[in-house]
């Protein structure tokens, strides 16, 4: 990109929503106090952006891919490969397959499944559970198993082999997501029971991986049932993490062109790290530490963004997403207000005359639904070369009145390149 200024692209994870009765028929963006976001909208250009397609709810990795100019409909090969590659669970000399997993809690008496184990696993608990599983599970000797846990309930499972082909064309065991091509589509009304893995194609490599997944889930469940970590959680009145849910497998990495400009990515998920490695971007893990206030996190993140030497600085901000999943619209309002006050406001004030600021979302997570949707998300862009429109506030309804010529996320970066060239 030309020009001496930088492009800051702030993706508010799951921020987009729908009108909510609890908020008087407003969305969280519309209900929150957002004077700085409103100023970005008033000084810039606005629109609603389709991240992938009208029937494909994005996840954070595919959303980031699209916002950085790579169309997931063309390039995406699944969440699992990006997660595995981001965690270096990929063997370039052999065969690899990787999955996103959840540490879940299954009440075998009532049949109730908590797909996210109440989101309260500590890092220490997760690491101990992972170590116990790797110690207790026995797989075929020519299959290497790699496992990690992160982010309160999330994890990555990967199999590699130097001798046996592996395929990710395997149905999810997680009933909350159905695999459609490379995409994992969320299921709002789903079974309360984990599903068996099965090959989705008539292929020995897929049948092998389905068998590996089922064996691993069965053996790891026995380990988890016997875990002291779970015994302690039960004694404390918390749900045990006693079953692994496996989804979004893949055995192919996306063939992405290298970025033509310097990009830095700040995010939380290994899949974003994998994306960064593939396109030649720098990646910095940036997430709220246990016990840290979100406002303090934003205050500490800001100088890193401002000092970054890259031409494009992409920041994935997690705050609004989990309240959306948990149907807590007022908490989502608070999260958005915190971002406005402690990140967007100071960032906007620090922009140089040649800098461009984009604020948008990687996907929508409507509170009333609790899952990602394919809803269009609001976007506001301000900076040199950007002709303001008549929109005066940031939000879904206001953005729909904007005149941004970009309609799909993958078209955003090329348009910004033209705008910065003119600016």
């Amino acid at each position: 990109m030309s020009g001496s200024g930088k492009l800051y692209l702030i993706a508010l994870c799951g921020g987009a929503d729908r009108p909510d009765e609890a908020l008087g028929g407003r969305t969280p963006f519309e209900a929150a106090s957002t004077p700085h976001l409103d100023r970005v909208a008033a000084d810039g250009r606005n629109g609603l952006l389709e991240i992938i397609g009208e029937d494909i709810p994005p996840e954070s990795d595919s959303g980031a891919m699209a916002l950085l100019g790579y169309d997931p409909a063309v390039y995406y090969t699944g969440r699992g490969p990006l997660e595995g590659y981001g965690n270096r669970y990929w063997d370039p000399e052999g065969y690899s397959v990787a999955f996103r997993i959840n540490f879940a809690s299954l009440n075998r008496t009532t049949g109730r499944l908590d797909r996210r184990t109440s989101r309260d696993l500590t890092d220490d608990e997760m690491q101990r559970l992972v170590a116990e599983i790797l110690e207790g599970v026995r797989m075929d000797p020519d299959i290497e198993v790699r496992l990690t846990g992160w982010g309160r309930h999330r994890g990555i499972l990967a199999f590699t082999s130097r001798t046996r082909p592996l395929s990710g064309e395997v149905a999810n065991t997680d009933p909350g997501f159905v695999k459609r091509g490379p995409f994992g589509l969320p299921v709002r009304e789903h079974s309360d029971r984990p599903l068996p893995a099965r090959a989705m194609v008539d292929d020995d490599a897929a049948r092998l991986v389905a068998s590996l997944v089922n064996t691993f889930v069965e053996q790891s469940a026995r380990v988890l049932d016997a875990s002291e970590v779970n015994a302690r959680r039960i004694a404390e009145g918390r749900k045990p993490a006693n079953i692994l849910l496996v989804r979004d497998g893949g055995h192919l990495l996306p063939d992405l062109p290298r970025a033509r400009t310097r990009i830095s990515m700040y995010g939380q998920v290994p899949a974003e790290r994998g994306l960064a490695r593939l396109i030649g971007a720098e990646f910095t893990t940036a997430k709220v530490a246990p016990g840290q206030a979100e406002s303090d996190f934003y205050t500490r993140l800001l100088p890193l963004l401002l000092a970054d030497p890259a031409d494009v600085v992409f920041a994935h901000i997690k705050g609004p997403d989990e309240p959306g999943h948990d149907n807590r619209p007022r908490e989502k309002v608070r999260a958005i207000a915190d971002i406005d006050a402690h990140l967007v406001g100071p960032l906007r004030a620090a922009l140089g005359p040649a800098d461009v600021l984009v604020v948008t979302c990687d996907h929508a997570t409507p509170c009333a639904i609790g899952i990602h949707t394919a809803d269009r998300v609001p976007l506001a862009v301000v900076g040199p070369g950007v002709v303001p429109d008549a929109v005066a506030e940031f939000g879904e309804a206001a953005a729909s009145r904007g005149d941004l010529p970009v309609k799909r996320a993958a078209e955003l970066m090329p348009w910004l390149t033209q705008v910065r060239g003119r600016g």
Side-chain angles (χ1 to χ4, degrees), residues 77-403:
T77 60
R79 181 72 179 259
L82 283 175
E83 297 272 27
Y85 188 70
N87 232 39
R88 300 189 183 275
Y89 290 170
W90 214 260
D91 185 354
E93 304 300 326
Y95 304 97
S96 300
V97 63
F99 300 85
R100 162 73 185 273
I101 65 170
N102 276 15
F103 286 76
S105 185
L106 176 63
N107 186 320
R108 293 183 174 86
T109 301
T110 64
R112 293 298 301 275
L113 177 69
D114 181 336
R115 295 182 50 258
R116 302 182 178 94
T117 315
S118 301
R119 300 183 189 273
D120 68 351
L121 281 171
T122 66
D123 289 344
D124 179 65
E125 286 177 327
M126 293 194 78
Q127 300 317 311
R128 290 169 64 188
L129 291 174
V130 166
E132 290 176 354
I133 291 170
L134 292 176
E135 176 67 23
V137 170
R138 294 289 178 265
M139 304 292 287
D140 294 352
D142 59 343
I143 301 294
E144 182 177 4
V145 178
R146 298 179 179 183
L147 178 71
T148 192
W150 56 278
R152 293 191 280 185
H153 63 275
R154 307 170 182 90
I156 305 166
L157 171 65
F159 302 120
T160 61
S161 175
R162 290 292 178 92
T163 61
R164 306 171 74 180
L166 304 173
S167 170
E169 294 297 331
V170 173
N172 299 338
T173 75
D174 184 345
F177 281 80
V178 61
K179 184 175 169 67
R180 292 285 184 267
F183 297 101
L185 306 185
V187 179
R188 187 178 183 187
E189 301 294 336
H190 56 75
S191 166
D192 245 358
R193 289 280 184 174
L195 305 172
R198 57 177 178 80
M200 299 181 70
V201 294
D202 184 13
D203 179 80
D204 287 343
R207 284 188 286 269
L208 170 61
V209 173
S211 176
L212 293 173
V213 168
N214 288 329
T215 298
F216 188 85
V217 169
E218 180 181 349
Q219 290 193 28
S220 63
R222 289 198 291 266
V223 172
L224 293 169
D225 279 338
S227 170
E228 291 184 3
V229 171
N230 280 326
R232 185 176 301 110
R233 288 178 61 85
I234 293 171
E236 294 172 353
R238 296 190 292 160
K239 294 178 181 179
N242 60 3
I243 192 75
L244 299 182
L245 301 179
V246 180
R247 66 177 171 96
D248 300 346
H251 61 280
L252 298 173
L253 295 174
D255 184 14
L256 298 173
R258 303 282 283 188
R260 297 181 180 180
T261 188
R262 292 182 301 169
I263 299 176
S264 279
M265 297 177 62
Y266 292 77
Q268 304 85 34
V269 301
E272 292 173 317
R273 186 188 302 116
L275 174 60
R277 288 182 61 201
L278 288 169
I279 66 175
E282 293 293 325
F283 181 80
T284 301
T285 300
K287 61 182 180 179
V288 179
Q292 183 183 29
E294 289 184 357
S295 58
D296 179 64
F297 166 68
Y298 301 138
T299 299
R300 294 175 183 271
L301 175 63
L302 180 64
L304 300 180
L305 303 182
L306 294 173
D308 197 297
D311 302 304
V312 177
V313 179
F314 174 92
H316 172 222
I317 306 301
K318 187 69 174 174
D321 188 51
E322 288 195 0
H325 281 294
D326 296 338
N327 192 17
R328 294 181 292 151
R330 291 185 178 85
E331 178 62 19
K332 191 168 183 177
V333 167
R334 184 207 59 77
I336 290 169
D338 272 356
I339 293 169
D340 183 83
H342 301 289
L343 181 62
V344 175
L347 175 58
R348 178 177 168 273
L351 293 179
D355 294 335
V356 173
L357 173 62
V358 177
V359 183
T360 187
C361 306
D362 54 350
H363 58 79
T365 309
C367 291
I369 298 177
I371 57 177
H372 295 187
T373 68
D375 295 16
R376 294 175 182 266
V377 304
L379 179 146
V381 54
V382 65
V386 178
V387 179
D389 55 26
V391 174
E393 61 188 65
F394 190 89
E396 292 81 358
S400 71
R401 300 190 293 272
D403 65 0

Side-chain angles (χ1 to χ4, degrees), residues 61-82:
D61 59 335
S62 55
M65 180 184 288
L67 290 170
L68 290 172
Y70 300 91
D71 190 343
V74 175
Y75 293 108
Y76 196 63
T77 60
R79 181 72 179 259
L82 283 175

